[in-house]
Amino acid sequence: MALCCAVTVLAENNWHMKKLKLIYLNTTFYLLFFLASALIIPTLSVILVTARIFISERLFYRYFRRAIRFYGQVVVRLPYPLVKVRYEDMSNVDKSVPHIYVCNHNSMSDPFLMSVFPYEMVQVVNVWPFSIPIIGYYARLGKYLDVNNMPFEKFLADAKTLLDEGVSIAFFPEGTRIDGAEMGSFHSGAFRLFLETKAPIVPVCIYGNKKIPPKGSMWLHPGTIIVRSLPPVTWEEYQDSTAYVVKSNVRKRIGEEIATMSEGQ
Amino acid sequence: MTEPEIVELVNKVFENAFEIEKEKIKPEAHIFMDLGLDSLDIVDLVVELQKGFKIEITDNEKLREIRTLQDIYDFVSTTRAEMGK
């Protein structure tokens, strides 16, 4: 009887501890998030707008995207140590040339995780990131691409221009976040761009953030996120294939790697 | 060209150009939900069908109604008939 009571008390304590941890994580994260945003965004904006007077448009965008990366680095570190993020670069890519990054899409945190990549990069995002106050405005200013609200030909032309300028492009080809363990089907825009521009594709596997935060919620849960870049897919391998074949193979590679990552946890 | 020949050639397009496993290629297979094609892949599908059947596909309205492989068999058959083939 005494043992039974002790187990019940322990279980209740455990439940309370988890709840407290969750409240602590979210309170501190969102507090720091708003503080950091209120400090970083206006400061960098003033610096960049002033600098624009003296520097070329191209250089302005390079610094602007570097500022986005800096902001992303800060945001990704805010929930530490309850949320840890590990980047594993297995791609061995030539950083001096632009790439097309293709990632699975788990959570609202994915665009932040991708913004940390040490390259000049824009993201192809769905409608919702553009609707986030301030951040959405800056994403648009940084020439992030809203594939849903532009004709595909215009999207292709803009993406080609960015690659020509040496800017890498990150895609979430699932388009939307999927509930459950399965990856959604991929849209073929990234792969059509790959076949037309010959820019290599780097598959990126994001694992561990399905609940950071979960779909339809803003609550972050503690955990470890791994962002693993895989060796690139080159145009030479697929020059005679359709975009569908490229997307199926890239999706398969990401799926297999995520399965390996989940076994390792 | 007979109906079974049309079916065989369409299936070959899916096997070769899209590398879809034979087992998935069934008349009732939904090309978007079961085979994972999207609206952009339809461009490649049209090119391959035009090449394979030596036809010209211009009727976008009918194309938009395609959902299953059976719809494609019927579409090719009708287009060929309209072209007098």
Side-chain angles (χ1 to χ4, degrees), chain A residues 104-114 123 128-129 172 174-178 206-221 225:
Chain A
N104 60 310
H105 196 13
N106 293 325
S107 149
M108 209 161 85
S109 51
D110 294 334
F112 288 98
L113 294 166
M114 285 308 293
Q123 298 183 22
W128 69 264
F172 301 99
E174 286 165 272
T176 186
R177 292 159 282 159
I178 305 291
I206 304 178
Y207 177 78
N209 66 335
K210 276 215 186 272
K211 285 181 143 188
I212 310 174
K215 192 174 179 177
S217 164
M218 293 290 279
W219 276 90
L220 305 185
H221 292 253
I225 303 170

PDB file of all heavy atoms in Angstrom, chain A residues 104-114 123 128-129 172 174-178 206-221 225:
ATOM      1  N   ASN A 104      13.100  18.434 -45.379  1.00  0.00           N
ATOM      2  CA  ASN A 104      11.776  17.990 -44.930  1.00  0.00           C
ATOM      3  C   ASN A 104      11.190  19.075 -44.020  1.00  0.00           C
ATOM      4  O   ASN A 104      11.920  19.937 -43.525  1.00  0.00           O
ATOM      5  CB  ASN A 104      11.868  16.647 -44.192  1.00  0.00           C
ATOM      6  CG  ASN A 104      12.751  16.702 -42.972  1.00  0.00           C
ATOM      7  OD1 ASN A 104      13.876  17.178 -43.036  1.00  0.00           O
ATOM      8  ND2 ASN A 104      12.244  16.247 -41.858  1.00  0.00           N
ATOM      9  N   HIS A 105       9.883  19.052 -43.845  1.00  0.00           N
ATOM     10  CA  HIS A 105       9.222  20.130 -43.100  1.00  0.00           C
ATOM     11  C   HIS A 105       8.422  19.558 -41.935  1.00  0.00           C
ATOM     12  O   HIS A 105       7.424  18.877 -42.125  1.00  0.00           O
ATOM     13  CB  HIS A 105       8.298  20.877 -44.066  1.00  0.00           C
ATOM     14  CG  HIS A 105       7.841  22.212 -43.572  1.00  0.00           C
ATOM     15  ND1 HIS A 105       8.407  22.849 -42.490  1.00  0.00           N
ATOM     16  CD2 HIS A 105       6.871  23.048 -44.020  1.00  0.00           C
ATOM     17  CE1 HIS A 105       7.802  24.001 -42.301  1.00  0.00           C
ATOM     18  NE2 HIS A 105       6.865  24.145 -43.216  1.00  0.00           N
ATOM     19  N   ASN A 106       8.929  19.827 -40.717  1.00  0.00           N
ATOM     20  CA  ASN A 106       8.289  19.285 -39.517  1.00  0.00           C
ATOM     21  C   ASN A 106       7.493  20.311 -38.746  1.00  0.00           C
ATOM     22  O   ASN A 106       6.456  19.997 -38.173  1.00  0.00           O
ATOM     23  CB  ASN A 106       9.357  18.788 -38.530  1.00  0.00           C
ATOM     24  CG  ASN A 106      10.099  17.592 -39.047  1.00  0.00           C
ATOM     25  OD1 ASN A 106       9.521  16.751 -39.726  1.00  0.00           O
ATOM     26  ND2 ASN A 106      11.372  17.506 -38.726  1.00  0.00           N
ATOM     27  N   SER A 107       8.043  21.524 -38.717  1.00  0.00           N
ATOM     28  CA  SER A 107       7.530  22.464 -37.730  1.00  0.00           C
ATOM     29  C   SER A 107       7.783  23.905 -38.167  1.00  0.00           C
ATOM     30  O   SER A 107       8.550  24.169 -39.095  1.00  0.00           O
ATOM     31  CB  SER A 107       8.259  22.174 -36.413  1.00  0.00           C
ATOM     32  OG  SER A 107       8.407  23.320 -35.637  1.00  0.00           O
ATOM     33  N   MET A 108       7.128  24.808 -37.440  1.00  0.00           N
ATOM     34  CA  MET A 108       7.287  26.230 -37.682  1.00  0.00           C
ATOM     35  C   MET A 108       8.741  26.671 -37.461  1.00  0.00           C
ATOM     36  O   MET A 108       9.158  27.713 -37.937  1.00  0.00           O
ATOM     37  CB  MET A 108       6.390  26.957 -36.679  1.00  0.00           C
ATOM     38  CG  MET A 108       5.867  28.263 -37.100  1.00  0.00           C
ATOM     39  SD  MET A 108       4.460  28.657 -36.062  1.00  0.00           S
ATOM     40  CE  MET A 108       5.236  29.378 -34.653  1.00  0.00           C
ATOM     41  N   SER A 109       9.501  25.858 -36.712  1.00  0.00           N
ATOM     42  CA  SER A 109      10.893  26.236 -36.423  1.00  0.00           C
ATOM     43  C   SER A 109      11.830  25.967 -37.608  1.00  0.00           C
ATOM     44  O   SER A 109      12.968  26.437 -37.608  1.00  0.00           O
ATOM     45  CB  SER A 109      11.408  25.487 -35.183  1.00  0.00           C
ATOM     46  OG  SER A 109      11.184  24.104 -35.290  1.00  0.00           O
ATOM     47  N   ASP A 110      11.380  25.219 -38.619  1.00  0.00           N
ATOM     48  CA  ASP A 110      12.267  24.867 -39.742  1.00  0.00           C
ATOM     49  C   ASP A 110      12.900  26.077 -40.441  1.00  0.00           C
ATOM     50  O   ASP A 110      14.106  26.076 -40.682  1.00  0.00           O
ATOM     51  CB  ASP A 110      11.517  24.005 -40.771  1.00  0.00           C
ATOM     52  CG  ASP A 110      11.137  22.647 -40.227  1.00  0.00           C
ATOM     53  OD1 ASP A 110      11.821  22.171 -39.303  1.00  0.00           O
ATOM     54  OD2 ASP A 110      10.168  22.059 -40.715  1.00  0.00           O
ATOM     55  N   PRO A 111      12.118  27.110 -40.802  1.00  0.00           N
ATOM     56  CA  PRO A 111      12.757  28.258 -41.471  1.00  0.00           C
ATOM     57  C   PRO A 111      13.826  28.923 -40.608  1.00  0.00           C
ATOM     58  O   PRO A 111      14.842  29.388 -41.123  1.00  0.00           O
ATOM     59  CB  PRO A 111      11.590  29.220 -41.731  1.00  0.00           C
ATOM     60  CG  PRO A 111      10.375  28.373 -41.709  1.00  0.00           C
ATOM     61  CD  PRO A 111      10.656  27.276 -40.735  1.00  0.00           C
ATOM     62  N   PHE A 112      13.626  28.945 -39.281  1.00  0.00           N
ATOM     63  CA  PHE A 112      14.641  29.513 -38.386  1.00  0.00           C
ATOM     64  C   PHE A 112      15.895  28.638 -38.399  1.00  0.00           C
ATOM     65  O   PHE A 112      17.014  29.139 -38.435  1.00  0.00           O
ATOM     66  CB  PHE A 112      14.094  29.630 -36.955  1.00  0.00           C
ATOM     67  CG  PHE A 112      13.069  30.705 -36.805  1.00  0.00           C
ATOM     68  CD1 PHE A 112      11.711  30.412 -36.830  1.00  0.00           C
ATOM     69  CD2 PHE A 112      13.453  32.032 -36.656  1.00  0.00           C
ATOM     70  CE1 PHE A 112      10.758  31.410 -36.716  1.00  0.00           C
ATOM     71  CE2 PHE A 112      12.505  33.046 -36.529  1.00  0.00           C
ATOM     72  CZ  PHE A 112      11.150  32.726 -36.564  1.00  0.00           C
ATOM     73  N   LEU A 113      15.691  27.310 -38.367  1.00  0.00           N
ATOM     74  CA  LEU A 113      16.832  26.391 -38.368  1.00  0.00           C
ATOM     75  C   LEU A 113      17.635  26.521 -39.656  1.00  0.00           C
ATOM     76  O   LEU A 113      18.852  26.478 -39.650  1.00  0.00           O
ATOM     77  CB  LEU A 113      16.340  24.943 -38.211  1.00  0.00           C
ATOM     78  CG  LEU A 113      15.692  24.612 -36.871  1.00  0.00           C
ATOM     79  CD1 LEU A 113      14.948  23.282 -36.956  1.00  0.00           C
ATOM     80  CD2 LEU A 113      16.734  24.545 -35.761  1.00  0.00           C
ATOM     81  N   MET A 114      16.937  26.712 -40.760  1.00  0.00           N
ATOM     82  CA  MET A 114      17.624  26.820 -42.051  1.00  0.00           C
ATOM     83  C   MET A 114      18.326  28.170 -42.214  1.00  0.00           C
ATOM     84  O   MET A 114      19.314  28.272 -42.933  1.00  0.00           O
ATOM     85  CB  MET A 114      16.635  26.624 -43.204  1.00  0.00           C
ATOM     86  CG  MET A 114      16.212  25.180 -43.429  1.00  0.00           C
ATOM     87  SD  MET A 114      17.589  24.036 -43.584  1.00  0.00           S
ATOM     88  CE  MET A 114      18.337  24.562 -45.117  1.00  0.00           C
ATOM     89  N   GLN A 123      14.869  31.583 -48.782  1.00  0.00           N
ATOM     90  CA  GLN A 123      14.030  30.392 -48.633  1.00  0.00           C
ATOM     91  C   GLN A 123      12.769  30.531 -49.479  1.00  0.00           C
ATOM     92  O   GLN A 123      12.252  31.631 -49.653  1.00  0.00           O
ATOM     93  CB  GLN A 123      13.643  30.203 -47.173  1.00  0.00           C
ATOM     94  CG  GLN A 123      14.843  29.981 -46.276  1.00  0.00           C
ATOM     95  CD  GLN A 123      14.456  29.728 -44.830  1.00  0.00           C
ATOM     96  OE1 GLN A 123      13.346  29.318 -44.518  1.00  0.00           O
ATOM     97  NE2 GLN A 123      15.389  29.977 -43.934  1.00  0.00           N
ATOM     98  N   TRP A 128       2.322  31.404 -44.855  1.00  0.00           N
ATOM     99  CA  TRP A 128       2.280  31.826 -43.445  1.00  0.00           C
ATOM    100  C   TRP A 128       3.507  32.599 -42.948  1.00  0.00           C
ATOM    101  O   TRP A 128       3.349  33.556 -42.198  1.00  0.00           O
ATOM    102  CB  TRP A 128       1.920  30.658 -42.520  1.00  0.00           C
ATOM    103  CG  TRP A 128       2.966  29.585 -42.405  1.00  0.00           C
ATOM    104  CD1 TRP A 128       3.018  28.423 -43.115  1.00  0.00           C
ATOM    105  CD2 TRP A 128       4.110  29.563 -41.538  1.00  0.00           C
ATOM    106  NE1 TRP A 128       4.120  27.691 -42.761  1.00  0.00           N
ATOM    107  CE2 TRP A 128       4.806  28.365 -41.787  1.00  0.00           C
ATOM    108  CE3 TRP A 128       4.632  30.440 -40.576  1.00  0.00           C
ATOM    109  CZ2 TRP A 128       5.976  28.023 -41.135  1.00  0.00           C
ATOM    110  CZ3 TRP A 128       5.808  30.099 -39.918  1.00  0.00           C
ATOM    111  CH2 TRP A 128       6.462  28.902 -40.200  1.00  0.00           C
ATOM    112  N   PRO A 129       4.772  32.237 -43.359  1.00  0.00           N
ATOM    113  CA  PRO A 129       5.884  33.030 -42.807  1.00  0.00           C
ATOM    114  C   PRO A 129       5.809  34.501 -43.220  1.00  0.00           C
ATOM    115  O   PRO A 129       6.242  35.382 -42.487  1.00  0.00           O
ATOM    116  CB  PRO A 129       7.131  32.370 -43.394  1.00  0.00           C
ATOM    117  CG  PRO A 129       6.701  30.998 -43.747  1.00  0.00           C
ATOM    118  CD  PRO A 129       5.286  31.143 -44.197  1.00  0.00           C
ATOM    119  N   PHE A 172      11.262  23.794 -48.942  1.00  0.00           N
ATOM    120  CA  PHE A 172      10.551  22.795 -48.145  1.00  0.00           C
ATOM    121  C   PHE A 172       9.507  22.193 -49.081  1.00  0.00           C
ATOM    122  O   PHE A 172       8.355  22.654 -49.101  1.00  0.00           O
ATOM    123  CB  PHE A 172       9.880  23.444 -46.927  1.00  0.00           C
ATOM    124  CG  PHE A 172      10.852  24.140 -46.011  1.00  0.00           C
ATOM    125  CD1 PHE A 172      11.043  25.510 -46.073  1.00  0.00           C
ATOM    126  CD2 PHE A 172      11.600  23.406 -45.112  1.00  0.00           C
ATOM    127  CE1 PHE A 172      11.954  26.151 -45.254  1.00  0.00           C
ATOM    128  CE2 PHE A 172      12.511  24.030 -44.276  1.00  0.00           C
ATOM    129  CZ  PHE A 172      12.687  25.405 -44.346  1.00  0.00           C
ATOM    130  N   GLU A 174       7.607  19.792 -49.239  1.00  0.00           N
ATOM    131  CA  GLU A 174       6.320  19.250 -48.776  1.00  0.00           C
ATOM    132  C   GLU A 174       5.259  20.353 -48.760  1.00  0.00           C
ATOM    133  O   GLU A 174       4.069  20.060 -48.727  1.00  0.00           O
ATOM    134  CB  GLU A 174       6.453  18.685 -47.361  1.00  0.00           C
ATOM    135  CG  GLU A 174       7.183  17.367 -47.299  1.00  0.00           C
ATOM    136  CD  GLU A 174       7.604  17.039 -45.892  1.00  0.00           C
ATOM    137  OE1 GLU A 174       8.708  17.464 -45.490  1.00  0.00           O
ATOM    138  OE2 GLU A 174       6.851  16.363 -45.191  1.00  0.00           O
ATOM    139  N   GLY A 175       5.738  21.585 -48.753  1.00  0.00           N
ATOM    140  CA  GLY A 175       4.805  22.717 -48.781  1.00  0.00           C
ATOM    141  C   GLY A 175       4.213  23.005 -47.435  1.00  0.00           C
ATOM    142  O   GLY A 175       4.332  24.091 -46.912  1.00  0.00           O
ATOM    143  N   THR A 176       3.595  22.022 -46.844  1.00  0.00           N
ATOM    144  CA  THR A 176       2.976  22.230 -45.543  1.00  0.00           C
ATOM    145  C   THR A 176       3.456  21.170 -44.571  1.00  0.00           C
ATOM    146  O   THR A 176       3.950  20.121 -44.989  1.00  0.00           O
ATOM    147  CB  THR A 176       1.438  22.219 -45.667  1.00  0.00           C
ATOM    148  OG1 THR A 176       0.895  22.563 -44.416  1.00  0.00           O
ATOM    149  CG2 THR A 176       0.911  20.856 -46.084  1.00  0.00           C
ATOM    150  N   ARG A 177       3.315  21.476 -43.278  1.00  0.00           N
ATOM    151  CA  ARG A 177       3.744  20.502 -42.271  1.00  0.00           C
ATOM    152  C   ARG A 177       2.734  19.369 -42.175  1.00  0.00           C
ATOM    153  O   ARG A 177       1.532  19.600 -42.232  1.00  0.00           O
ATOM    154  CB  ARG A 177       3.885  21.170 -40.901  1.00  0.00           C
ATOM    155  CG  ARG A 177       5.022  22.138 -40.844  1.00  0.00           C
ATOM    156  CD  ARG A 177       4.842  23.103 -39.725  1.00  0.00           C
ATOM    157  NE  ARG A 177       3.884  24.139 -40.079  1.00  0.00           N
ATOM    158  CZ  ARG A 177       3.239  24.867 -39.204  1.00  0.00           C
ATOM    159  NH1 ARG A 177       3.396  24.657 -37.937  1.00  0.00           N
ATOM    160  NH2 ARG A 177       2.407  25.800 -39.600  1.00  0.00           N
ATOM    161  N   ILE A 178       3.259  18.160 -42.032  1.00  0.00           N
ATOM    162  CA  ILE A 178       2.398  16.986 -42.012  1.00  0.00           C
ATOM    163  C   ILE A 178       2.314  16.439 -40.588  1.00  0.00           C
ATOM    164  O   ILE A 178       3.332  16.329 -39.910  1.00  0.00           O
ATOM    165  CB  ILE A 178       2.979  15.881 -42.954  1.00  0.00           C
ATOM    166  CG1 ILE A 178       3.181  16.437 -44.367  1.00  0.00           C
ATOM    167  CG2 ILE A 178       2.130  14.626 -42.945  1.00  0.00           C
ATOM    168  CD1 ILE A 178       1.934  16.745 -45.146  1.00  0.00           C
ATOM    169  N   ILE A 206      15.835  17.350 -41.229  1.00  0.00           N
ATOM    170  CA  ILE A 206      15.610  17.984 -39.932  1.00  0.00           C
ATOM    171  C   ILE A 206      14.865  16.963 -39.081  1.00  0.00           C
ATOM    172  O   ILE A 206      13.824  16.443 -39.482  1.00  0.00           O
ATOM    173  CB  ILE A 206      14.788  19.287 -40.065  1.00  0.00           C
ATOM    174  CG1 ILE A 206      15.487  20.247 -41.036  1.00  0.00           C
ATOM    175  CG2 ILE A 206      14.598  19.940 -38.709  1.00  0.00           C
ATOM    176  CD1 ILE A 206      14.748  21.547 -41.298  1.00  0.00           C
ATOM    177  N   TYR A 207      15.437  16.677 -37.925  1.00  0.00           N
ATOM    178  CA  TYR A 207      14.838  15.637 -37.075  1.00  0.00           C
ATOM    179  C   TYR A 207      14.724  16.122 -35.625  1.00  0.00           C
ATOM    180  O   TYR A 207      15.633  16.783 -35.125  1.00  0.00           O
ATOM    181  CB  TYR A 207      15.709  14.364 -37.127  1.00  0.00           C
ATOM    182  CG  TYR A 207      15.192  13.281 -36.230  1.00  0.00           C
ATOM    183  CD1 TYR A 207      14.110  12.499 -36.603  1.00  0.00           C
ATOM    184  CD2 TYR A 207      15.772  13.064 -34.979  1.00  0.00           C
ATOM    185  CE1 TYR A 207      13.603  11.533 -35.762  1.00  0.00           C
ATOM    186  CE2 TYR A 207      15.272  12.092 -34.136  1.00  0.00           C
ATOM    187  CZ  TYR A 207      14.192  11.327 -34.537  1.00  0.00           C
ATOM    188  OH  TYR A 207      13.692  10.365 -33.694  1.00  0.00           O
ATOM    189  N   GLY A 208      13.616  15.809 -34.994  1.00  0.00           N
ATOM    190  CA  GLY A 208      13.482  16.076 -33.555  1.00  0.00           C
ATOM    191  C   GLY A 208      12.678  17.309 -33.205  1.00  0.00           C
ATOM    192  O   GLY A 208      12.537  17.636 -32.032  1.00  0.00           O
ATOM    193  N   ASN A 209      12.146  18.024 -34.209  1.00  0.00           N
ATOM    194  CA  ASN A 209      11.434  19.263 -33.866  1.00  0.00           C
ATOM    195  C   ASN A 209       9.939  19.209 -34.173  1.00  0.00           C
ATOM    196  O   ASN A 209       9.304  20.248 -34.273  1.00  0.00           O
ATOM    197  CB  ASN A 209      12.066  20.474 -34.572  1.00  0.00           C
ATOM    198  CG  ASN A 209      11.916  20.415 -36.074  1.00  0.00           C
ATOM    199  OD1 ASN A 209      11.781  19.338 -36.646  1.00  0.00           O
ATOM    200  ND2 ASN A 209      11.946  21.560 -36.720  1.00  0.00           N
ATOM    201  N   LYS A 210       9.404  18.001 -34.309  1.00  0.00           N
ATOM    202  CA  LYS A 210       7.957  17.919 -34.594  1.00  0.00           C
ATOM    203  C   LYS A 210       7.120  18.577 -33.500  1.00  0.00           C
ATOM    204  O   LYS A 210       6.023  19.042 -33.740  1.00  0.00           O
ATOM    205  CB  LYS A 210       7.537  16.447 -34.753  1.00  0.00           C
ATOM    206  CG  LYS A 210       7.789  15.926 -36.166  1.00  0.00           C
ATOM    207  CD  LYS A 210       6.734  14.946 -36.607  1.00  0.00           C
ATOM    208  CE  LYS A 210       7.052  14.326 -37.936  1.00  0.00           C
ATOM    209  NZ  LYS A 210       6.571  15.080 -39.087  1.00  0.00           N
ATOM    210  N   LYS A 211       7.695  18.622 -32.265  1.00  0.00           N
ATOM    211  CA  LYS A 211       6.952  19.239 -31.162  1.00  0.00           C
ATOM    212  C   LYS A 211       7.594  20.565 -30.732  1.00  0.00           C
ATOM    213  O   LYS A 211       7.356  21.034 -29.632  1.00  0.00           O
ATOM    214  CB  LYS A 211       6.910  18.282 -29.971  1.00  0.00           C
ATOM    215  CG  LYS A 211       5.947  17.126 -30.167  1.00  0.00           C
ATOM    216  CD  LYS A 211       5.964  16.267 -28.959  1.00  0.00           C
ATOM    217  CE  LYS A 211       4.574  15.740 -28.653  1.00  0.00           C
ATOM    218  NZ  LYS A 211       4.517  15.049 -27.378  1.00  0.00           N
ATOM    219  N   ILE A 212       8.431  21.118 -31.623  1.00  0.00           N
ATOM    220  CA  ILE A 212       9.105  22.363 -31.231  1.00  0.00           C
ATOM    221  C   ILE A 212       8.841  23.435 -32.290  1.00  0.00           C
ATOM    222  O   ILE A 212       9.727  23.783 -33.054  1.00  0.00           O
ATOM    223  CB  ILE A 212      10.627  22.123 -31.052  1.00  0.00           C
ATOM    224  CG1 ILE A 212      10.874  20.907 -30.139  1.00  0.00           C
ATOM    225  CG2 ILE A 212      11.300  23.357 -30.491  1.00  0.00           C
ATOM    226  CD1 ILE A 212      12.329  20.499 -30.012  1.00  0.00           C
ATOM    227  N   PRO A 213       7.662  24.025 -32.344  1.00  0.00           N
ATOM    228  CA  PRO A 213       6.418  23.631 -31.676  1.00  0.00           C
ATOM    229  C   PRO A 213       5.612  22.688 -32.568  1.00  0.00           C
ATOM    230  O   PRO A 213       5.870  22.608 -33.769  1.00  0.00           O
ATOM    231  CB  PRO A 213       5.682  24.979 -31.552  1.00  0.00           C
ATOM    232  CG  PRO A 213       6.132  25.756 -32.748  1.00  0.00           C
ATOM    233  CD  PRO A 213       7.533  25.299 -33.054  1.00  0.00           C
ATOM    234  N   PRO A 214       4.617  21.969 -32.000  1.00  0.00           N
ATOM    235  CA  PRO A 214       3.801  21.076 -32.835  1.00  0.00           C
ATOM    236  C   PRO A 214       2.893  21.881 -33.765  1.00  0.00           C
ATOM    237  O   PRO A 214       2.653  23.069 -33.523  1.00  0.00           O
ATOM    238  CB  PRO A 214       2.955  20.294 -31.829  1.00  0.00           C
ATOM    239  CG  PRO A 214       3.265  20.826 -30.499  1.00  0.00           C
ATOM    240  CD  PRO A 214       4.189  21.989 -30.608  1.00  0.00           C
ATOM    241  N   LYS A 215       2.381  21.216 -34.796  1.00  0.00           N
ATOM    242  CA  LYS A 215       1.492  21.906 -35.735  1.00  0.00           C
ATOM    243  C   LYS A 215       0.250  22.430 -34.996  1.00  0.00           C
ATOM    244  O   LYS A 215      -0.330  21.726 -34.176  1.00  0.00           O
ATOM    245  CB  LYS A 215       1.068  20.935 -36.847  1.00  0.00           C
ATOM    246  CG  LYS A 215       0.389  21.639 -37.983  1.00  0.00           C
ATOM    247  CD  LYS A 215       0.094  20.735 -39.136  1.00  0.00           C
ATOM    248  CE  LYS A 215      -0.602  21.543 -40.221  1.00  0.00           C
ATOM    249  NZ  LYS A 215      -0.867  20.801 -41.414  1.00  0.00           N
ATOM    250  N   GLY A 216      -0.103  23.652 -35.250  1.00  0.00           N
ATOM    251  CA  GLY A 216      -1.296  24.245 -34.651  1.00  0.00           C
ATOM    252  C   GLY A 216      -1.083  24.762 -33.245  1.00  0.00           C
ATOM    253  O   GLY A 216      -2.038  25.114 -32.559  1.00  0.00           O
ATOM    254  N   SER A 217       0.162  24.803 -32.778  1.00  0.00           N
ATOM    255  CA  SER A 217       0.432  25.264 -31.425  1.00  0.00           C
ATOM    256  C   SER A 217       1.683  26.137 -31.416  1.00  0.00           C
ATOM    257  O   SER A 217       2.479  26.109 -32.350  1.00  0.00           O
ATOM    258  CB  SER A 217       0.638  24.045 -30.516  1.00  0.00           C
ATOM    259  OG  SER A 217       1.251  24.417 -29.309  1.00  0.00           O
ATOM    260  N   MET A 218       1.825  26.924 -30.373  1.00  0.00           N
ATOM    261  CA  MET A 218       3.033  27.757 -30.238  1.00  0.00           C
ATOM    262  C   MET A 218       3.919  27.216 -29.112  1.00  0.00           C
ATOM    263  O   MET A 218       4.976  27.774 -28.830  1.00  0.00           O
ATOM    264  CB  MET A 218       2.635  29.202 -29.915  1.00  0.00           C
ATOM    265  CG  MET A 218       1.895  29.932 -31.021  1.00  0.00           C
ATOM    266  SD  MET A 218       2.951  30.306 -32.405  1.00  0.00           S
ATOM    267  CE  MET A 218       3.764  31.781 -31.792  1.00  0.00           C
ATOM    268  N   TRP A 219       3.463  26.140 -28.441  1.00  0.00           N
ATOM    269  CA  TRP A 219       4.186  25.614 -27.281  1.00  0.00           C
ATOM    270  C   TRP A 219       5.418  24.834 -27.707  1.00  0.00           C
ATOM    271  O   TRP A 219       5.316  23.855 -28.451  1.00  0.00           O
ATOM    272  CB  TRP A 219       3.278  24.686 -26.477  1.00  0.00           C
ATOM    273  CG  TRP A 219       2.399  25.417 -25.529  1.00  0.00           C
ATOM    274  CD1 TRP A 219       1.168  25.896 -25.792  1.00  0.00           C
ATOM    275  CD2 TRP A 219       2.690  25.747 -24.165  1.00  0.00           C
ATOM    276  NE1 TRP A 219       0.662  26.533 -24.685  1.00  0.00           N
ATOM    277  CE2 TRP A 219       1.582  26.448 -23.671  1.00  0.00           C
ATOM    278  CE3 TRP A 219       3.785  25.529 -23.325  1.00  0.00           C
ATOM    279  CZ2 TRP A 219       1.523  26.927 -22.369  1.00  0.00           C
ATOM    280  CZ3 TRP A 219       3.718  26.005 -22.018  1.00  0.00           C
ATOM    281  CH2 TRP A 219       2.605  26.710 -21.555  1.00  0.00           C
ATOM    282  N   LEU A 220       6.563  25.253 -27.219  1.00  0.00           N
ATOM    283  CA  LEU A 220       7.796  24.502 -27.485  1.00  0.00           C
ATOM    284  C   LEU A 220       7.910  23.381 -26.448  1.00  0.00           C
ATOM    285  O   LEU A 220       7.586  23.589 -25.279  1.00  0.00           O
ATOM    286  CB  LEU A 220       9.023  25.401 -27.350  1.00  0.00           C
ATOM    287  CG  LEU A 220       9.087  26.691 -28.165  1.00  0.00           C
ATOM    288  CD1 LEU A 220      10.444  27.350 -27.968  1.00  0.00           C
ATOM    289  CD2 LEU A 220       8.859  26.421 -29.638  1.00  0.00           C
ATOM    290  N   HIS A 221       8.377  22.243 -26.889  1.00  0.00           N
ATOM    291  CA  HIS A 221       8.624  21.139 -25.966  1.00  0.00           C
ATOM    292  C   HIS A 221      10.131  20.885 -25.920  1.00  0.00           C
ATOM    293  O   HIS A 221      10.815  21.062 -26.931  1.00  0.00           O
ATOM    294  CB  HIS A 221       7.896  19.876 -26.432  1.00  0.00           C
ATOM    295  CG  HIS A 221       6.406  19.999 -26.330  1.00  0.00           C
ATOM    296  ND1 HIS A 221       5.670  19.347 -25.371  1.00  0.00           N
ATOM    297  CD2 HIS A 221       5.523  20.736 -27.056  1.00  0.00           C
ATOM    298  CE1 HIS A 221       4.384  19.669 -25.515  1.00  0.00           C
ATOM    299  NE2 HIS A 221       4.272  20.509 -26.530  1.00  0.00           N
ATOM    300  N   ILE A 225      17.276  18.793 -31.470  1.00  0.00           N
ATOM    301  CA  ILE A 225      17.007  18.853 -32.913  1.00  0.00           C
ATOM    302  C   ILE A 225      18.320  18.586 -33.652  1.00  0.00           C
ATOM    303  O   ILE A 225      19.362  19.134 -33.284  1.00  0.00           O
ATOM    304  CB  ILE A 225      16.468  20.250 -33.312  1.00  0.00           C
ATOM    305  CG1 ILE A 225      15.204  20.596 -32.507  1.00  0.00           C
ATOM    306  CG2 ILE A 225      16.190  20.316 -34.803  1.00  0.00           C
ATOM    307  CD1 ILE A 225      14.746  22.050 -32.659  1.00  0.00           C
TER     308      ILE A 225
END
